[in-house]
Amino acid sequence: MNEVHRVIKHTLLNARFVFLTGIIFLVFSLHASAYSYSAMGDEPVIDGREAMLLAIENKDVSTMLAALEVFHEELDFLQSKTMGNLTVQFKSAIKQKDFVKLKSLLDLTIYLMIENRLNKAYKDLDNYQVAKVLVMKSKLYLDILFPALDRSKKVDALNAMSAILKAVGNPGVFGVGQKAANPEVFKQQQDVLFSALQQFRL
Amino acid sequence: MYLTQVNSKKIGLAISSILLIGCAFLYYLSSFNWQISSDDAFNLSRGFERFSVLEFRPHFPGYPGLIAGIHLLALLFNSTSSEYAVINFSILSALLIPIVLAWLCYHFTNSLFTAITLALLAYSSPLLAGLALSGLSDTPALVFLLLALACALRQQLLLAALAIAIMLSIRPAYLILALAFIPFIFTQTYSLRIACLKTLLPIIFVGAACLIFILSKDGFAYFSEGLRFTQGHLDIWGNTYTKLDRGAQLDIVYQWLEQLADKIGLFTLTSLLAAMALSLIDKKVPIKIASFIASSYFIVMLFTQNPDNLRHFAPVFFLGIMLLIVQLNKVLSLHFLLPLIVLVFYMSYLPYWHNIMKMAPTSSALVKQAPVNQAIEYLEPEQITSKKLILGTNYSMNLISAQLMHFSVYDLYYPSNLRTLDQAAKDHHVWRLSGSRLLENEHQLERIFSARFPTEQDLYLYKFSNHSY
């Protein structure tokens, strides 16, 4: 009887092997993974900037205009918050084939995205989730401008960003590990960061 | 009584022998520089300083078990350096892997000699040394995987599940290994309901503790970062925008086999796979399940992991050599076993040393640093004059950027940055650090930074000429 029991057990076990292997294959063979911390997710400004820079390299005006379409909504939003009509400035630079101006405008757009997101995060400091995600998104934009900075400005920008992230605080769970946001430090370090990035303001 | 005493003596001698080999391994590791050498390890060291997955301290999914382990060890050794804390934990775990492997082997074969041979084989593998110095989650996760296996074999389901839970908190990418443990539940003497309960309880407990810890630091924003990271993980391969299709997946399998044949050796690879296949049809259910765990992970790895990182192969390698020894022990007497194993061991080394020899001129002396640290040290003395120093890389971008602050370091993930380098080469000093040999003739190969272990890859430094653009 024991022998029969053992045989049944082994047969079942083998069937389970096959079944499990099938399931595992189904789940895991559907996609492949890769590493990239730079992957921004859905960020039209980054995608548009990238397309624009490649079009500049090929001196391809129609692709430049197409690239502009990718982030024109963001440009409209930024211009309502800041100076001048950015889309018009982009179009005029494309028309004149002023590629140096075009690159500067792209840097300005990245700078304005950082500024805009940090300002919004400051207003939303009482909502940890929103503030933290906005600051981190602005950090990813900062990474794009980072190589163009000289050493001292890099250090200033990094320290300021680190202090801003700390100033957002911690949400905690049931009060444990909770740390309130510090708006004063946030504002102060935001100014340090903006002054380190001054070269990108036109 | 007499027999027990003899046994205890023998076991004591075996443990001493393994510990002695472990000391020799540690001495060997001490001849290298213990430094962080990848962005992942860099993120972990930042996570040790302050934990926030949103800030890449460390990157998603956060590795809370690993961070806890690093803190625990740092407390024991009163260490405050985040770099050393991360590497120390990885090295300590690497030291334990052959010990647990030997324990498992003894359980399967009841032969102390075989267990010691396996420990020797594991300690002398260049893969283990590479993993130890990587400062990543592989070695501690492997220790808990092997502990889980050992506990499951002794019918200690609760402890096995606890080890699995800790393994997942250290390295969630080992989920497939955890799933492959499910057949063990059916081999237990308990009723299925109790067995399931004993399995789930520790996993829920450790999982909840990890989640609470992460949420206390990042809140629910953690999930949005998870979505972003996973999206990037699934859509983007390495440094291209290309989405993977079926053909590309087969390409990855081919790349894996090529990598394994090159770095592990075709003979060793075939031996491991043959041992795993033989073990799958072994009469003993535990051996069958151990092989099932290694085989299912291997197949999933071929399709889903990056072939550039040989460390993903580690679970297959260590479970594979254990099964190899177990199978060899069945068919050969001990006198024949040792020379055969030594042969396999050297075969596994051959391709590795062959690669090193190709890498003149640095091959004459022992390369103490990882390729990326060699590159940083090589470029560090460069001084800014009227010309800027510019470097483009798709390898350890964040680590290099943090250590070479006087350089403008561009992430070659963005294709436009390569154009920026080309343009800048007219007026500035421009280099490109690449993980593969470039075909372009216009870039002058300035230096090759050799890998120390098969887990690393050679890096090529190219200097852009200033006249061709």
Side-chain angles (χ1 to χ4, degrees):
Chain A
M1 196 59 200
N2 258 351
E3 203 53 37
V4 175
H5 180 74
R6 206 173 298 152
V7 169
I8 293 173
K9 196 171 164 182
H10 283 197
T11 316
L12 279 175
L13 208 58
N14 279 328
R16 277 170 190 140
F17 277 157
V18 174
F19 176 70
L20 274 172
T21 316
I23 293 281
I24 286 160
F25 263 98
L26 268 176
V27 172
F28 285 88
S29 68
L30 292 176
H31 44 64
S33 63
Y35 270 88
S36 181
Y37 306 127
S38 305
M40 295 281 283
D42 189 20
E43 289 293 334
V45 174
I46 303 297
D47 295 341
R49 175 183 181 272
E50 192 59 26
M52 181 82 79
L53 285 170
L54 292 173
I56 290 173
E57 199 54 42
N58 300 327
K59 299 186 171 58
D60 180 353
V61 171
S62 60
T63 315
M64 284 179 214
L65 289 169
L68 195 59
E69 279 305 302
V70 178
F71 62 111
H72 79 96
E73 278 180 25
E74 280 71 16
L75 287 179
D76 290 346
F77 177 74
L78 287 174
Q79 77 198 17
S80 69
K81 298 271 171 188
T82 55
M83 76 295 272
N85 190 324
L86 275 172
T87 313
V88 171
Q89 290 186 47
F90 264 105
K91 280 185 177 165
S92 137
I94 292 172
K95 202 175 169 186
Q96 291 165 11
K97 295 194 174 174
D98 185 350
F99 300 136
V100 176
K101 175 84 187 290
L102 211 46
K103 284 183 182 174
S104 305
L105 281 170
L106 285 171
D107 285 347
L108 173 69
T109 311
I110 300 287
Y111 171 82
L112 290 175
M113 288 296 284
I114 298 171
E115 196 180 66
N116 181 52
R117 291 194 166 176
L118 285 182
N119 286 338
K120 192 163 170 8
Y122 179 70
K123 281 182 196 154
D124 281 324
L125 267 184
D126 51 343
N127 185 344
Y128 171 84
Q129 317 296 337
V130 175
K132 182 90 176 196
V133 171
L134 283 169
V135 175
M136 265 326 286
K137 286 271 185 187
S138 69
K139 165 75 172 66
L140 291 172
Y141 275 85
L142 174 65
D143 289 345
I144 291 174
L145 297 181
F146 202 65
L149 294 171
D150 65 34
R151 188 184 193 134
S152 65
K153 283 181 180 159
K154 273 183 193 168
V155 174
D156 287 349
L158 270 187
N159 289 342
M161 187 50 92
S162 180
I164 289 170
L165 281 163
K166 271 188 192 166
V168 174
N170 274 349
V173 173
F174 310 121
V176 179
Q178 196 173 15
K179 216 172 105 189
N182 189 336
E184 277 171 36
V185 173
F186 191 104
K187 191 76 192 158
Q188 185 193 344
Q189 293 300 324
Q190 201 182 349
D191 293 340
V192 174
L193 178 68
F194 291 155
S195 81
L197 300 179
Q198 205 54 40
Q199 71 194 70
F200 301 109
R201 290 199 68 111
L202 287 180
Chain B
M1 187 66 191
Y2 173 72
L3 273 175
T4 318
Q5 273 179 1
V6 170
N7 254 346
S8 309
K9 264 187 184 174
K10 278 186 177 175
I11 291 174
L13 193 69
I15 292 173
S16 313
S17 313
I18 293 174
L19 289 179
L20 201 67
I21 306 170
C23 288
F25 174 69
L26 199 59
Y27 178 73
Y28 169 65
L29 289 186
S30 71
S31 58
F32 298 98
N33 287 10
W34 294 9
Q35 283 172 304
I36 277 170
S37 56
S38 67
D39 274 354
D40 288 358
F42 180 58
N43 287 340
L44 281 171
S45 73
R46 283 158 33 94
F48 172 78
E49 291 160 2
R50 193 175 83 239
F51 186 92
S52 170
V53 178
L54 287 173
E55 297 176 35
F56 300 106
R57 291 170 172 267
H59 51 287
F60 186 82
Y63 309 91
L66 182 61
I67 296 289
I70 295 169
H71 271 288
L72 209 64
L73 193 72
L75 269 177
L76 283 176
F77 287 92
N78 205 13
S79 154
T80 47
S81 152
S82 58
E83 184 168 20
Y84 278 121
V86 168
I87 305 268
N88 284 348
F89 191 62
S90 170
I91 288 176
L92 178 76
S93 309
L95 272 171
L96 295 176
I97 288 173
I99 298 174
V100 191
L101 263 183
W103 179 24
L104 273 170
C105 184
Y106 181 66
H107 184 95
F108 283 131
T109 60
N110 216 16
S111 156
L112 286 172
F113 180 78
T114 317
I116 295 172
T117 314
L118 175 62
L120 174 71
L121 206 63
Y123 272 130
S124 49
S125 136
L127 187 66
L128 187 69
L131 289 176
L133 290 178
S134 70
L136 295 172
S137 58
D138 302 76
T139 53
L142 266 170
V143 171
F144 282 97
L145 167 78
L146 298 173
L147 280 175
L149 197 54
C151 293
L153 292 177
R154 296 162 68 91
Q155 301 277 317
Q156 291 165 326
L157 197 56
L158 199 71
L159 281 178
L162 183 66
I164 288 286
I166 297 174
M167 175 192 84
L168 286 176
S169 72
I170 290 173
R171 188 167 169 76
Y174 277 2
L175 176 68
I176 182 70
L177 289 163
L179 289 177
F181 261 86
I182 292 173
F184 264 119
I185 298 172
F186 301 107
T187 65
Q188 303 296 315
T189 45
Y190 318 102
S191 73
L192 192 62
R193 186 175 293 175
I194 294 196
C196 285
L197 202 68
K198 283 194 170 199
T199 313
L200 285 176
L201 269 179
I203 292 175
I204 292 170
F205 181 74
V206 174
C210 290
L211 197 64
I212 288 171
F213 173 70
I214 290 173
L215 289 180
S216 76
K217 299 288 181 184
D218 277 332
F220 289 99
Y222 170 76
F223 297 109
S224 64
E225 164 59 15
L227 203 67
R228 186 199 72 81
F229 188 89
T230 314
Q231 198 67 42
H233 225 63
L234 301 183
D235 283 354
I236 301 151
W237 182 265
N239 299 291
T240 66
Y241 278 112
T242 321
K243 284 195 174 188
L244 290 171
D245 54 21
R246 290 266 148 220
Q249 282 198 338
L250 285 177
D251 252 14
I252 296 163
V253 175
Y254 178 73
Q255 279 177 38
W256 256 119
L257 295 177
E258 209 176 35
Q259 273 275 2
L260 290 172
D262 184 39
K263 290 191 166 170
I264 299 288
L266 206 54
F267 180 77
T268 311
L269 180 65
T270 321
S271 318
L272 295 181
L273 296 182
M276 277 155 56
L278 269 177
S279 306
L280 264 182
I281 49 167
D282 200 286
K283 282 178 191 162
K284 285 185 185 168
V285 176
I287 292 183
K288 195 184 268 198
I289 298 180
S291 171
F292 173 68
I293 292 169
S295 310
S296 41
Y297 175 83
F298 179 63
I299 294 165
V300 173
M301 178 206 81
L302 284 180
F303 286 95
T304 62
Q305 296 289 5
N306 185 350
D308 287 343
N309 294 331
L310 192 71
R311 61 193 179 86
H312 294 310
F313 183 68
V316 187
F317 182 81
F318 290 109
L319 285 174
I321 52 170
M322 183 189 71
L323 293 170
L324 180 69
I325 300 276
V326 170
Q327 294 299 336
L328 283 175
N329 190 57
K330 279 185 181 173
V331 289
L332 297 168
S333 73
L334 292 181
H335 300 292
F336 290 106
L337 188 62
L338 190 61
L340 199 89
I341 287 167
V342 170
L343 182 73
V344 173
F345 151 68
Y346 278 112
M347 291 301 280
S348 74
Y349 266 60
L350 271 178
Y352 171 65
W353 288 119
H354 177 65
N355 277 350
I356 291 284
M357 294 312 285
K358 278 193 298 189
M359 295 304 156
T362 44
S363 62
S364 52
L366 176 74
V367 183
K368 284 176 179 272
Q369 290 178 306
V372 70
N373 300 115
Q374 294 169 44
I376 290 168
E377 196 179 81
Y378 178 79
L379 290 169
E380 178 110 62
E382 294 284 346
Q383 296 287 334
I384 301 177
T385 50
S386 57
K387 294 180 173 186
K388 276 187 182 176
L389 304 172
I390 298 173
L391 175 70
T393 180
N394 48 10
Y395 196 87
S396 299
M397 158 75 202
N398 296 334
L399 177 67
I400 295 174
S401 181
Q403 302 221 346
L404 291 177
M405 290 286 270
H406 57 307
F407 271 70
S408 299
V409 184
Y410 284 91
D411 186 355
L412 294 184
Y413 163 76
Y414 296 108
S416 65
N417 280 345
L418 192 57
R419 308 287 198 281
T420 307
L421 296 191
D422 281 343
Q423 289 288 327
K426 286 176 194 163
D427 310 309
H428 303 288
H429 295 299
V430 179
W431 290 267
R432 178 177 175 181
L433 191 64
S434 170
S436 53
R437 230 176 229 281
L438 301 177
L439 294 173
E440 295 100 295
N441 298 326
E442 57 261 40
H443 306 322
Q444 183 199 337
L445 179 61
E446 184 163 314
R447 190 94 172 181
I448 301 173
F449 303 106
S450 314
R452 300 169 299 176
F453 310 107
T455 46
E456 296 170 347
Q457 66 185 113
D458 303 317
L459 291 181
Y460 302 86
L461 184 71
Y462 290 90
K463 177 97 190 247
F464 283 44
S465 53
N466 58 2
H467 50 75
S468 48
Y469 306 99

